[in-house]
Amino acid sequence: SAIRSLREAITLDGTQPNYYAMLFTLQGASGMRNVDVAMLKQAVQRFPASKDPLLITGLVNIDNQEYRAVREIAGRLDVVSPGSGEAMLLRGHLALANNEFAEAARLFSAAFERGIRSAHVLHNLGLAQQKSGSTAEALASYAKALELEPARAELLFDYAS
């Protein structure tokens, strides 16, 4: 199946995922035409430990602003794993895209609490908190993100804003 092929493509061989195999599989499985290797690299780098093809596909769709597809993928994640952090993460991105900042903050926080413990999640939580007027909480989220991944320059930019 396409999902199995994608799962195999995501498997690390040495130190690098096979991005070209992932690209081919994603495009074939979902009909996405605007995916490129740079987007795949970015999605995989956000969650290097994840081999979940649905999450990676959802993140690529977010980058492509294919929000209908993201909603469908979040629904599929709920079927596979009800209340999963991955589904919360994708829904948080959807809420952020719709300027629903308080809801985005709630969803990113839930994703973090449900095991998606990454600087990416905390960074987006901080953005949502900042945009909803919760400056102190946003600064705390940015600081936590920096603790997890001190080298991420974009976290420093938002933390300083």
Side-chain angles (χ1 to χ4, degrees):
S1 78
I3 295 298
R4 186 177 58 219
S5 298
L6 182 56
R7 195 169 277 137
E8 291 167 4
I10 292 172
T11 301
L12 299 178
D13 54 345
T15 59
Q16 293 294 317
N18 185 339
Y19 296 111
Y20 292 102
M22 290 169 60
L23 175 64
F24 177 77
T25 305
L26 271 173
Q27 288 176 331
S30 63
M32 295 186 325
R33 294 184 191 95
N34 297 326
V35 180
D36 64 24
V37 173
M39 283 183 175
L40 287 173
K41 285 182 180 180
Q42 184 180 22
V44 173
Q45 286 169 354
R46 287 182 196 157
F47 298 94
S50 177
K51 293 192 170 45
D52 187 335
L54 289 175
L55 176 60
I56 300 299
T57 304
L59 291 170
V60 170
N61 275 299
I62 287 166
D63 288 341
N64 275 338
Q65 298 181 354
E66 297 287 339
Y67 300 124
R68 184 172 152 218
V70 175
R71 276 189 288 283
E72 291 171 11
I73 291 166
R76 287 171 56 195
L77 281 165
D78 279 337
V79 170
V80 172
S81 179
S84 72
E86 289 85 354
M88 297 293 176
L89 172 64
L90 294 178
R91 287 194 175 95
H93 279 287
L94 289 170
L96 203 56
N98 288 323
N99 297 325
E100 298 168 355
F101 303 121
E103 178 67 1
R106 184 189 72 75
L107 289 163
F108 287 127
S109 180
F112 190 80
E113 290 169 11
R114 291 187 176 142
I116 310 296
R117 298 191 175 274
S118 76
H120 171 82
V121 173
L122 291 170
H123 175 242
N124 283 299
L125 173 59
L127 285 174
Q129 291 167 326
Q130 185 175 356
K131 295 207 180 249
S132 66
S134 300
T135 307
E137 290 89 351
L139 291 173
S141 295
Y142 292 140
K144 272 190 198 176
L146 283 169
E147 286 175 21
L148 283 177
E149 293 183 36
R152 300 251 329 251
E154 75 274 13
L155 301 178
L156 288 170
F157 175 76
D158 288 324
Y159 183 68
S161 316

